[in-house]
Amino acid sequence: MQFQDNFFWGAASAAYQVEGAYQADGKGQNIWDAYCQEGCRVAHGENGNVACDHYHLFRQDVEMMKKMGIRYYRFSINWTRILPDGTGPVNEKGLQFYSDLVDALLENGITPMITLFHWDYPLALHQRGGWMNADSSDWFAAYTKIVVDALSDRVQYWMTINEPQVFIGVGYCTGRFAPFETHQPKDLARISHNVFLAHGKAVQTIRQYAKTKPCIGFAYATPCWTPEDTTPDAIEAARQKSFRVDRDNFTFSAAWWADPILLGDYPQEAYDVLGADMADIQPGDLEIISQPIDFYGANIYESKAVPTPYGYAENAYIGCPRTQMDWPVTPEALYWGPKFLYERYGKPILISENGMASHDWVQLDGKVHDPQRIDYMKRYLREVYRCIQDGTEIMGYMYWSILDNFEWADGYDKRFGLVHVDYRTQQRTIKDSGYFYRDVIQSNGAAIFQDTLKTY
Protein backbone atom coordinates (compact mmCIF):
# COMPACT_ATOMS: atom_id res chain seq x y z
CA MET A 1 0.00 0.00 0.00
CA GLN A 2 1.34 3.39 -1.02
CA PHE A 3 0.23 7.01 -1.29
CA GLN A 4 -0.31 8.68 -4.65
CA ASP A 5 2.88 9.33 -6.60
CA ASN A 6 2.61 13.12 -6.26
CA PHE A 7 2.05 13.12 -2.48
CA PHE A 8 3.98 15.91 -0.72
CA TRP A 9 6.25 14.52 2.02
CA GLY A 10 7.71 17.33 4.07
CA ALA A 11 8.41 18.98 7.41
CA ALA A 12 7.76 22.40 8.85
CA SER A 13 9.15 25.11 11.09
CA ALA A 14 8.40 28.70 12.11
CA ALA A 15 10.81 31.61 12.01
CA TYR A 16 10.68 32.73 15.65
CA GLN A 17 10.86 29.17 16.91
CA VAL A 18 14.09 28.27 15.09
CA GLU A 19 15.97 31.23 13.65
CA GLY A 20 17.40 33.03 16.68
CA ALA A 21 19.68 35.91 15.63
CA TYR A 22 17.02 38.22 16.99
CA GLN A 23 19.15 41.36 16.66
CA ALA A 24 21.39 40.27 13.78
CA ASP A 25 22.00 42.15 10.55
CA GLY A 26 19.48 44.93 11.07
CA LYS A 27 16.48 42.85 12.13
CA GLY A 28 13.74 44.72 14.01
CA GLN A 29 11.78 43.57 17.03
CA ASN A 30 8.53 41.65 16.89
CA ILE A 31 6.11 41.17 19.77
CA TRP A 32 7.69 37.86 20.82
CA ASP A 33 11.16 39.44 20.79
CA ALA A 34 9.97 42.27 22.98
CA TYR A 35 7.71 40.56 25.50
CA CYS A 36 9.91 37.51 26.05
CA GLN A 37 12.63 39.78 27.40
CA GLU A 38 10.42 40.52 30.40
CA GLY A 39 11.34 37.08 31.74
CA CYS A 40 7.93 36.26 33.20
CA ARG A 41 5.98 35.26 30.10
CA VAL A 42 7.58 31.93 29.18
CA ALA A 43 8.59 28.83 31.11
CA HIS A 44 11.96 29.32 32.85
CA GLY A 45 12.06 32.90 31.55
CA GLU A 46 13.20 31.58 28.16
CA ASN A 47 13.03 33.34 24.79
CA GLY A 48 13.79 32.90 21.11
CA ASN A 49 16.90 35.07 21.06
CA VAL A 50 19.08 32.16 19.94
CA ALA A 51 16.61 29.25 19.60
CA CYS A 52 18.14 26.76 17.11
CA ASP A 53 20.29 29.45 15.45
CA HIS A 54 18.81 28.34 12.12
CA TYR A 55 19.75 31.78 10.79
CA HIS A 56 23.43 30.86 10.93
CA LEU A 57 23.14 27.06 10.63
CA PHE A 58 20.53 26.74 7.90
CA ARG A 59 22.92 25.10 5.43
CA GLN A 60 23.68 22.36 7.94
CA ASP A 61 19.95 21.97 8.59
CA VAL A 62 19.17 21.71 4.89
CA GLU A 63 21.82 19.02 4.52
CA MET A 64 20.13 17.06 7.31
CA MET A 65 16.78 17.44 5.55
CA LYS A 66 18.34 15.98 2.43
CA LYS A 67 19.76 13.10 4.47
CA MET A 68 16.25 12.40 5.78
CA GLY A 69 14.80 12.55 2.27
CA ILE A 70 12.59 15.56 3.03
CA ARG A 71 11.02 16.75 -0.23
CA TYR A 72 9.16 19.86 0.95
CA TYR A 73 10.15 22.34 3.63
CA ARG A 74 7.46 24.63 4.99
CA PHE A 75 9.02 27.63 6.74
CA SER A 76 7.86 31.11 7.67
CA ILE A 77 9.26 34.55 6.99
CA ASN A 78 10.12 36.76 9.96
CA TRP A 79 8.42 40.03 8.98
CA THR A 80 10.84 42.26 10.94
CA ARG A 81 13.91 40.56 9.49
CA ILE A 82 12.83 42.09 6.18
CA LEU A 83 11.06 45.25 7.41
CA PRO A 84 12.48 46.17 10.83
CA ASP A 85 9.56 48.49 11.58
CA GLY A 86 6.94 46.47 9.71
CA THR A 87 6.81 49.12 6.98
CA GLY A 88 9.37 51.41 5.39
CA PRO A 89 12.90 50.61 4.21
CA VAL A 90 13.76 47.00 3.39
CA ASN A 91 16.55 45.28 5.30
CA GLU A 92 18.40 43.71 2.40
CA LYS A 93 20.50 41.42 4.60
CA GLY A 94 17.36 39.88 6.05
CA LEU A 95 15.87 39.39 2.62
CA GLN A 96 19.13 37.82 1.44
CA PHE A 97 18.90 35.21 4.21
CA TYR A 98 15.63 33.90 2.84
CA SER A 99 16.90 34.01 -0.71
CA ASP A 100 19.94 31.97 0.34
CA LEU A 101 17.70 29.52 2.20
CA VAL A 102 15.52 29.02 -0.86
CA ASP A 103 18.60 28.46 -3.02
CA ALA A 104 20.03 25.94 -0.57
CA LEU A 105 16.76 24.01 -0.51
CA LEU A 106 16.51 23.87 -4.28
CA GLU A 107 20.16 22.84 -4.62
CA ASN A 108 19.36 19.88 -2.36
CA GLY A 109 16.20 18.87 -4.19
CA ILE A 110 13.81 20.26 -1.57
CA THR A 111 10.80 22.36 -2.57
CA PRO A 112 10.28 25.51 -0.46
CA MET A 113 6.82 26.33 0.90
CA ILE A 114 6.55 29.81 2.41
CA THR A 115 4.25 30.91 5.21
CA LEU A 116 4.10 34.70 5.29
CA PHE A 117 2.97 35.12 8.89
CA HIS A 118 3.54 32.77 11.82
CA TRP A 119 2.75 35.02 14.83
CA ASP A 120 5.84 37.28 14.93
CA TYR A 121 4.02 40.61 14.49
CA PRO A 122 6.23 43.72 14.21
CA LEU A 123 6.45 45.57 17.52
CA ALA A 124 6.41 48.98 15.82
CA LEU A 125 3.09 48.14 14.12
CA HIS A 126 1.68 46.66 17.32
CA GLN A 127 2.38 50.00 18.97
CA ARG A 128 0.29 51.63 16.22
CA GLY A 129 -2.68 49.43 17.04
CA GLY A 130 -1.57 46.25 15.28
CA TRP A 131 -4.42 44.12 13.96
CA MET A 132 -6.88 46.61 15.46
CA ASN A 133 -5.67 49.28 13.02
CA ALA A 134 -7.69 49.54 9.81
CA ASP A 135 -4.41 49.95 7.90
CA SER A 136 -3.06 46.58 9.09
CA SER A 137 -4.20 44.69 6.00
CA ASP A 138 -2.42 47.17 3.75
CA TRP A 139 0.74 46.84 5.81
CA PHE A 140 0.56 43.09 5.32
CA ALA A 141 -0.05 43.40 1.58
CA ALA A 142 2.96 45.68 1.19
CA TYR A 143 5.15 43.24 3.12
CA THR A 144 3.82 40.39 0.97
CA LYS A 145 4.79 42.17 -2.23
CA ILE A 146 8.39 42.56 -1.05
CA VAL A 147 8.64 38.84 -0.34
CA VAL A 148 6.95 37.88 -3.60
CA ASP A 149 9.16 40.20 -5.65
CA ALA A 150 12.26 38.66 -4.09
CA LEU A 151 11.40 34.95 -3.97
CA SER A 152 8.57 34.06 -6.34
CA ASP A 153 10.94 33.34 -9.21
CA ARG A 154 11.90 30.21 -7.22
CA VAL A 155 8.91 29.65 -4.93
CA GLN A 156 5.55 28.31 -6.06
CA TYR A 157 3.81 27.36 -2.78
CA TRP A 158 2.50 30.05 -0.45
CA MET A 159 0.54 30.10 2.81
CA THR A 160 -0.64 33.50 3.93
CA ILE A 161 -1.30 33.12 7.65
CA ASN A 162 -0.72 30.38 10.22
CA GLU A 163 -3.28 29.53 12.90
CA PRO A 164 -5.20 32.75 13.56
CA GLN A 165 -7.21 30.67 16.02
CA VAL A 166 -4.08 30.58 18.16
CA PHE A 167 -2.36 33.92 17.69
CA ILE A 168 -5.68 35.71 18.19
CA GLY A 169 -7.48 33.26 20.47
CA VAL A 170 -4.48 32.78 22.76
CA GLY A 171 -2.73 36.11 22.12
CA TYR A 172 -5.69 38.49 22.34
CA CYS A 173 -8.43 36.47 24.07
CA THR A 174 -6.90 34.29 26.79
CA GLY A 175 -3.65 36.30 26.96
CA ARG A 176 -1.23 33.38 27.20
CA PHE A 177 0.73 34.22 24.01
CA ALA A 178 2.22 37.49 22.76
CA PRO A 179 1.09 40.21 22.98
CA PHE A 180 -0.48 38.73 26.16
CA GLU A 181 -3.70 40.73 25.96
CA THR A 182 -7.34 40.00 26.70
CA HIS A 183 -10.08 41.63 24.62
CA GLN A 184 -13.83 41.53 24.49
CA PRO A 185 -15.75 39.89 21.59
CA LYS A 186 -16.25 43.12 19.65
CA ASP A 187 -12.52 43.80 19.51
CA LEU A 188 -11.78 40.16 18.68
CA ALA A 189 -14.22 40.31 15.77
CA ARG A 190 -12.58 43.51 14.54
CA ILE A 191 -9.11 41.99 14.79
CA SER A 192 -10.32 38.89 12.96
CA HIS A 193 -11.82 40.94 10.15
CA ASN A 194 -8.57 42.80 9.61
CA VAL A 195 -6.69 39.50 9.53
CA PHE A 196 -9.16 38.26 6.90
CA LEU A 197 -8.55 41.37 4.81
CA ALA A 198 -4.80 40.89 5.19
CA HIS A 199 -5.16 37.34 3.88
CA GLY A 200 -7.31 38.43 0.93
CA LYS A 201 -5.00 41.28 -0.06
CA ALA A 202 -2.00 38.97 0.25
CA VAL A 203 -3.66 36.49 -2.12
CA GLN A 204 -4.34 39.30 -4.58
CA THR A 205 -0.74 40.46 -4.30
CA ILE A 206 0.71 37.00 -4.86
CA ARG A 207 -1.53 36.39 -7.87
CA GLN A 208 -0.64 39.76 -9.40
CA TYR A 209 3.10 39.77 -8.88
CA ALA A 210 4.29 36.16 -8.64
CA LYS A 211 6.87 35.29 -11.28
CA THR A 212 6.08 31.56 -11.03
CA LYS A 213 2.47 30.38 -11.18
CA PRO A 214 1.54 30.28 -7.48
CA CYS A 215 -0.30 27.66 -5.47
CA ILE A 216 -1.85 29.49 -2.50
CA GLY A 217 -3.49 28.45 0.74
CA PHE A 218 -3.40 29.13 4.45
CA ALA A 219 -2.51 26.97 7.47
CA TYR A 220 -5.25 26.85 10.07
CA ALA A 221 -5.50 25.11 13.39
CA THR A 222 -8.48 22.86 12.78
CA PRO A 223 -10.53 21.79 15.78
CA CYS A 224 -11.93 18.40 14.89
CA TRP A 225 -14.44 16.40 16.88
CA THR A 226 -14.50 12.71 16.06
CA PRO A 227 -17.66 10.58 16.21
CA GLU A 228 -18.29 8.25 19.13
CA ASP A 229 -19.15 5.50 16.65
CA THR A 230 -19.80 5.14 12.92
CA THR A 231 -23.56 5.63 12.99
CA PRO A 232 -24.91 8.47 10.82
CA ASP A 233 -26.14 10.33 13.91
CA ALA A 234 -22.75 10.18 15.63
CA ILE A 235 -20.94 11.31 12.48
CA GLU A 236 -23.31 14.23 11.99
CA ALA A 237 -22.96 15.25 15.65
CA ALA A 238 -19.16 15.32 15.29
CA ARG A 239 -19.42 17.34 12.09
CA GLN A 240 -21.68 19.90 13.74
CA LYS A 241 -19.34 20.25 16.71
CA SER A 242 -16.35 20.67 14.39
CA PHE A 243 -17.89 23.73 12.73
CA ARG A 244 -19.97 25.32 15.47
CA VAL A 245 -19.46 28.93 16.53
CA ASP A 246 -19.82 29.79 20.22
CA ARG A 247 -19.81 33.35 21.45
CA ASP A 248 -17.26 32.66 24.16
CA ASN A 249 -14.90 30.73 21.87
CA PHE A 250 -15.65 31.96 18.35
CA THR A 251 -12.01 32.82 17.61
CA PHE A 252 -11.16 29.12 17.93
CA SER A 253 -13.85 27.97 15.45
CA ALA A 254 -12.96 26.40 12.11
CA ALA A 255 -16.06 27.82 10.44
CA TRP A 256 -15.37 31.34 11.71
CA TRP A 257 -12.03 31.31 9.92
CA ALA A 258 -12.74 29.23 6.82
CA ASP A 259 -16.28 30.15 5.80
CA PRO A 260 -15.57 33.80 4.84
CA ILE A 261 -12.63 32.73 2.67
CA LEU A 262 -14.11 29.63 1.07
CA LEU A 263 -17.86 30.22 1.22
CA GLY A 264 -17.90 34.00 0.82
CA ASP A 265 -19.42 35.03 4.15
CA TYR A 266 -19.22 34.50 7.88
CA PRO A 267 -21.31 31.57 9.11
CA GLN A 268 -24.87 32.55 10.02
CA GLU A 269 -24.23 31.24 13.52
CA ALA A 270 -21.60 33.95 13.97
CA TYR A 271 -24.11 36.69 13.20
CA ASP A 272 -26.55 35.05 15.60
CA VAL A 273 -24.24 34.68 18.59
CA LEU A 274 -22.28 37.93 18.20
CA GLY A 275 -25.10 40.28 17.27
CA ALA A 276 -23.95 43.87 17.69
CA ASP A 277 -20.41 42.68 18.37
CA MET A 278 -20.07 41.33 14.86
CA ALA A 279 -17.32 42.76 12.68
CA ASP A 280 -18.06 45.95 10.73
CA ILE A 281 -18.19 44.59 7.18
CA GLN A 282 -17.75 47.27 4.54
CA PRO A 283 -18.87 46.95 0.90
CA GLY A 284 -16.33 44.92 -1.01
CA ASP A 285 -14.71 43.37 2.07
CA LEU A 286 -16.09 39.89 1.51
CA GLU A 287 -14.99 39.95 -2.11
CA ILE A 288 -11.43 40.70 -0.99
CA ILE A 289 -11.54 38.07 1.75
CA SER A 290 -12.89 35.33 -0.52
CA GLN A 291 -10.19 35.54 -3.17
CA PRO A 292 -9.85 32.06 -4.72
CA ILE A 293 -7.24 29.85 -3.08
CA ASP A 294 -5.88 26.47 -4.11
CA PHE A 295 -5.77 24.39 -0.93
CA TYR A 296 -6.72 24.25 2.74
CA GLY A 297 -3.74 23.79 5.07
CA ALA A 298 -4.91 21.95 8.18
CA ASN A 299 -2.86 21.79 11.38
CA ILE A 300 -4.29 18.82 13.28
CA TYR A 301 -2.81 17.08 16.33
CA GLU A 302 -5.74 15.58 18.21
CA SER A 303 -9.48 15.21 18.27
CA LYS A 304 -11.14 17.91 20.34
CA ALA A 305 -13.49 17.69 23.26
CA VAL A 306 -15.06 20.03 25.78
CA PRO A 307 -12.71 20.05 28.79
CA THR A 308 -14.08 18.97 32.12
CA PRO A 309 -12.85 20.00 35.59
CA TYR A 310 -13.19 16.40 36.78
CA GLY A 311 -13.33 13.08 35.00
CA TYR A 312 -12.51 12.68 31.31
CA ALA A 313 -13.53 14.57 28.21
CA GLU A 314 -14.93 12.57 25.31
CA ASN A 315 -11.54 12.23 23.57
CA ALA A 316 -9.83 10.67 26.61
CA TYR A 317 -10.18 7.79 29.02
CA ILE A 318 -8.42 6.44 32.07
CA GLY A 319 -4.78 5.75 31.23
CA CYS A 320 -5.07 6.95 27.63
CA PRO A 321 -1.81 7.67 25.76
CA ARG A 322 -0.80 11.32 25.82
CA THR A 323 1.99 13.36 24.29
CA GLN A 324 4.34 15.57 26.29
CA MET A 325 1.86 18.41 25.63
CA ASP A 326 -0.73 16.32 27.52
CA TRP A 327 -2.73 15.94 24.31
CA PRO A 328 -4.50 12.58 23.89
CA VAL A 329 -3.17 10.43 21.06
CA THR A 330 -6.16 10.30 18.70
CA PRO A 331 -5.08 9.19 15.20
CA GLU A 332 -8.69 9.21 13.96
CA ALA A 333 -8.46 13.03 13.91
CA LEU A 334 -6.49 12.73 10.65
CA TYR A 335 -9.34 10.79 9.12
CA TRP A 336 -12.35 12.79 10.24
CA GLY A 337 -10.72 16.23 10.21
CA PRO A 338 -9.68 16.27 6.53
CA LYS A 339 -12.89 14.43 5.57
CA PHE A 340 -15.16 17.03 7.19
CA LEU A 341 -13.13 19.90 5.70
CA TYR A 342 -13.18 18.45 2.20
CA GLU A 343 -16.91 17.77 2.35
CA ARG A 344 -17.66 21.33 3.50
CA TYR A 345 -15.20 23.32 1.38
CA GLY A 346 -14.25 21.12 -1.57
CA LYS A 347 -10.59 22.16 -1.53
CA PRO A 348 -7.58 19.84 -1.52
CA ILE A 349 -6.26 19.39 1.99
CA LEU A 350 -2.61 19.78 2.96
CA ILE A 351 -1.79 18.42 6.40
CA SER A 352 0.37 21.46 7.10
CA GLU A 353 1.21 20.40 10.67
CA ASN A 354 1.01 17.14 12.59
CA GLY A 355 3.42 15.67 15.10
CA MET A 356 4.05 15.07 18.77
CA ALA A 357 6.17 16.36 21.62
CA SER A 358 7.96 13.60 23.49
CA HIS A 359 10.55 13.15 26.24
CA ASP A 360 13.65 12.91 24.02
CA TRP A 361 17.31 13.02 24.94
CA VAL A 362 20.62 11.82 23.51
CA GLN A 363 21.18 8.38 25.00
CA LEU A 364 24.40 6.67 26.00
CA ASP A 365 24.93 5.30 22.50
CA GLY A 366 24.85 8.85 21.09
CA LYS A 367 21.47 8.36 19.43
CA VAL A 368 17.95 9.59 20.16
CA HIS A 369 15.55 6.66 20.36
CA ASP A 370 11.95 7.85 20.17
CA PRO A 371 9.76 4.80 19.43
CA GLN A 372 6.65 6.59 20.68
CA ARG A 373 6.97 9.19 17.93
CA ILE A 374 7.43 6.49 15.29
CA ASP A 375 4.31 4.73 16.56
CA TYR A 376 2.44 8.05 16.56
CA MET A 377 3.44 8.76 12.97
CA LYS A 378 2.40 5.29 11.83
CA ARG A 379 -1.01 5.59 13.47
CA TYR A 380 -1.76 9.08 12.19
CA LEU A 381 -0.46 8.48 8.67
CA ARG A 382 -2.52 5.31 8.39
CA GLU A 383 -5.58 7.46 9.02
CA VAL A 384 -4.45 9.89 6.31
CA TYR A 385 -4.15 6.97 3.91
CA ARG A 386 -7.61 5.68 4.90
CA CYS A 387 -9.05 9.15 4.36
CA ILE A 388 -7.55 9.34 0.87
CA GLN A 389 -8.87 5.88 0.03
CA ASP A 390 -12.35 7.02 1.06
CA GLY A 391 -12.29 9.91 -1.41
CA THR A 392 -10.75 12.93 0.34
CA GLU A 393 -8.17 14.80 -1.74
CA ILE A 394 -5.09 15.20 0.44
CA MET A 395 -2.02 16.83 -1.12
CA GLY A 396 0.58 15.95 1.44
CA TYR A 397 1.85 15.78 4.99
CA MET A 398 4.18 18.25 6.74
CA TYR A 399 5.58 16.80 9.95
CA TRP A 400 5.83 19.32 12.80
CA SER A 401 8.59 19.97 13.31
CA ILE A 402 11.89 19.46 11.56
CA LEU A 403 13.87 20.60 14.64
CA ASP A 404 13.23 20.69 18.36
CA ASN A 405 12.54 24.37 18.95
CA PHE A 406 11.12 27.18 21.07
CA GLU A 407 7.60 26.05 21.89
CA TRP A 408 6.14 29.49 22.65
CA ALA A 409 4.99 29.87 26.28
CA ASP A 410 6.31 26.39 27.09
CA GLY A 411 9.87 27.36 26.24
CA TYR A 412 12.27 24.57 25.28
CA ASP A 413 11.00 21.67 27.39
CA LYS A 414 8.61 20.35 24.73
CA ARG A 415 10.44 18.57 21.90
CA PHE A 416 8.52 18.07 18.64
CA GLY A 417 11.46 17.64 16.28
CA LEU A 418 12.67 14.89 14.00
CA VAL A 419 16.08 16.32 14.91
CA HIS A 420 17.23 16.74 18.51
CA VAL A 421 18.86 20.08 19.33
CA ASP A 422 21.20 20.57 22.28
CA TYR A 423 20.45 24.24 22.90
CA ARG A 424 23.69 24.74 24.84
CA THR A 425 25.92 23.68 21.96
CA GLN A 426 23.56 23.71 18.92
CA GLN A 427 24.56 20.10 18.27
CA ARG A 428 22.00 18.38 16.02
CA THR A 429 21.19 14.67 16.23
CA ILE A 430 18.73 13.05 13.84
CA LYS A 431 16.32 10.98 15.93
CA ASP A 432 15.20 7.48 15.07
CA SER A 433 11.93 9.07 13.93
CA GLY A 434 13.88 11.15 11.42
CA TYR A 435 15.34 8.01 9.90
CA PHE A 436 11.95 6.33 10.03
CA TYR A 437 10.44 9.27 8.15
CA ARG A 438 13.18 8.82 5.54
CA ASP A 439 11.96 5.24 5.10
CA VAL A 440 8.36 6.44 4.85
CA ILE A 441 9.27 8.91 2.12
CA GLN A 442 11.45 6.47 0.18
CA SER A 443 8.67 3.87 0.26
CA ASN A 444 5.99 6.48 -0.50
CA GLY A 445 4.22 5.56 2.71
CA ALA A 446 4.55 1.78 2.64
CA ALA A 447 6.77 1.81 5.76
CA ILE A 448 3.88 2.95 7.96
CA PHE A 449 2.17 -0.42 7.49
CA GLN A 450 5.06 -2.37 8.97
CA ASP A 451 4.32 -3.21 12.61
CA THR A 452 7.83 -4.31 13.57
CA LEU A 453 10.14 -1.66 14.99
CA LYS A 454 13.25 -1.21 12.88
CA THR A 455 16.57 -0.49 14.59
CA TYR A 456 18.32 2.72 13.50
Side-chain angles (χ1 to χ4, degrees):
M1 293 185 286
Q2 294 180 315
F3 287 69
Q4 66 265 29
D5 289 341
N6 61 350
F7 193 79
F8 294 8
W9 294 107
S13 73
Y16 188 73
Q17 293 180 270
V18 299
E19 285 182 2
Y22 86 117
Q23 290 182 320
D25 295 334
K27 179 187 165 296
Q29 280 202 323
N30 60 58
I31 55 176
W32 281 94
D33 289 323
Y35 289 111
C36 281
Q37 308 312 312
E38 297 177 0
C40 59
R41 304 290 192 178
V42 173
H44 315 300
E46 292 169 344
N47 55 55
N49 293 4
V50 177
C52 306
D53 203 18
H54 184 62
Y55 183 77
H56 294 109
L57 302 177
F58 74 91
R59 296 187 189 280
Q60 175 184 336
D61 293 337
V62 171
E63 289 174 4
M64 283 193 305
M65 292 180 211
K66 182 179 181 181
K67 187 174 183 179
M68 288 186 283
I70 301 296
R71 295 178 183 172
Y72 292 81
Y73 178 44
R74 178 189 165 220
F75 64 94
S76 73
I77 305 292
N78 190 322
W79 190 336
T80 58
R81 200 174 291 285
I82 290 174
L83 291 167
D85 293 319
T87 60
V90 174
N91 177 29
E92 295 296 341
K93 288 185 178 179
L95 199 57
Q96 188 63 48
F97 164 69
Y98 293 107
S99 181
D100 291 345
L101 173 58
V102 167
D103 284 346
L105 291 167
L106 293 173
E107 288 164 6
N108 285 277
I110 302 168
T111 300
M113 307 179 82
I114 286 179
T115 303
L116 289 165
F117 181 73
H118 197 131
W119 308 1
D120 40 14
Y121 199 80
L123 179 63
L125 297 186
H126 175 68
Q127 293 169 338
R128 293 168 62 183
W131 292 117
M132 288 280 287
N133 192 314
D135 293 332
S136 58
S137 60
D138 291 328
W139 297 336
F140 190 71
Y143 153 67
T144 298
K145 185 176 185 300
I146 292 168
V147 178
V148 169
D149 284 347
L151 303 179
S152 67
D153 59 329
R154 290 156 289 162
V155 175
Q156 179 182 8
Y157 297 98
W158 302 85
M159 280 160 264
T160 54
I161 291 172
N162 183 81
E163 292 189 347
Q165 294 95 330
V166 180
F167 77 77
I168 292 176
V170 186
Y172 295 86
C173 180
T174 68
R176 186 168 179 261
F177 285 2
F180 305 100
E181 297 178 356
T182 57
H183 290 265
Q184 295 302 307
K186 190 170 186 64
D187 282 349
L188 294 172
R190 178 181 176 185
I191 291 169
S192 298
H193 195 66
N194 286 333
V195 170
F196 276 125
L197 289 169
H199 160 82
K201 291 177 182 180
V203 173
Q204 290 177 322
T205 300
I206 297 168
R207 296 256 186 245
Q208 182 175 356
Y209 295 104
K211 300 167 187 174
T212 302
K213 184 179 179 181
C215 183
I216 307 172
F218 46 66
Y220 280 4
T222 301
C224 165
W225 271 254
T226 56
E228 296 180 5
D229 54 50
T230 57
T231 62
D233 286 348
I235 294 171
E236 183 57 29
R239 180 185 288 107
Q240 293 298 324
K241 289 178 182 178
S242 294
F243 295 107
R244 68 186 173 192
V245 181
D246 296 328
R247 178 178 173 84
D248 292 339
N249 296 295
F250 72 92
T251 55
F252 295 96
S253 164
W256 171 262
W257 288 107
D259 278 20
I261 294 173
L262 294 169
L263 300 182
D265 199 355
Y266 288 91
Q268 182 57 47
E269 197 174 9
Y271 291 99
D272 296 341
V273 300
L274 288 174
D277 290 333
M278 187 61 188
D280 181 19
I281 304 171
Q282 296 298 309
D285 281 359
L286 292 174
E287 287 75 12
I288 293 172
I289 291 168
S290 61
Q291 292 296 303
I293 61 171
D294 301 299
F295 65 92
Y296 187 120
N299 298 354
I300 302 177
Y301 293 87
E302 58 172 328
S303 65
K304 295 295 184 183
V306 177
T308 59
Y310 303 102
Y312 293 93
E314 61 196 52
N315 65 344
Y317 54 86
I318 184 169
C320 70
R322 295 179 183 272
T323 72
Q324 194 189 16
M325 296 294 290
D326 201 33
W327 299 341
V329 176
T330 55
E332 62 274 14
L334 278 192
Y335 176 83
W336 293 105
K339 178 180 175 65
F340 288 158
L341 292 172
Y342 189 64
E343 289 173 348
R344 186 179 181 95
Y345 300 117
K347 289 290 181 181
I349 308 298
L350 174 70
I351 308 301
S352 40
E353 288 184 22
N354 171 256
M356 69 165 285
S358 188
H359 296 277
D360 304 327
W361 61 84
V362 179
Q363 298 183 15
L364 292 174
D365 62 0
K367 299 179 180 180
V368 180
H369 303 297
D370 55 343
Q372 289 89 344
R373 182 173 287 107
I374 293 173
D375 185 81
Y376 176 102
M377 294 171 74
K378 285 182 179 180
R379 292 173 186 269
Y380 277 74
L381 282 167
R382 287 179 184 185
E383 294 298 308
V384 174
Y385 180 81
R386 183 165 73 98
C387 191
I388 293 170
Q389 295 305 111
D390 285 352
T392 297
E393 186 178 354
I394 300 181
M395 296 167 53
Y397 175 87
M398 302 293 118
Y399 179 82
W400 181 271
S401 58
I402 186 64
L403 300 168
D404 290 339
N405 56 44
F406 177 79
E407 188 52 39
W408 309 110
D410 290 310
Y412 293 94
D413 286 343
K414 307 296 193 292
R415 292 182 176 271
F416 276 88
L418 296 171
V419 176
H420 180 277
V421 179
D422 184 330
Y423 301 111
R424 300 165 302 174
T425 65
Q426 295 301 330
Q427 177 68 37
R428 271 83 157 134
T429 304
I430 299 175
K431 302 175 187 179
D432 284 359
S433 59
Y435 292 113
F436 166 73
Y437 196 38
R438 176 198 60 193
D439 292 347
V440 171
I441 295 169
Q442 288 178 349
S443 67
N444 198 23
I448 68 172
F449 298 105
Q450 298 172 3
D451 292 328
T452 55
L453 183 61
K454 183 177 177 181
T455 301
Y456 293 97

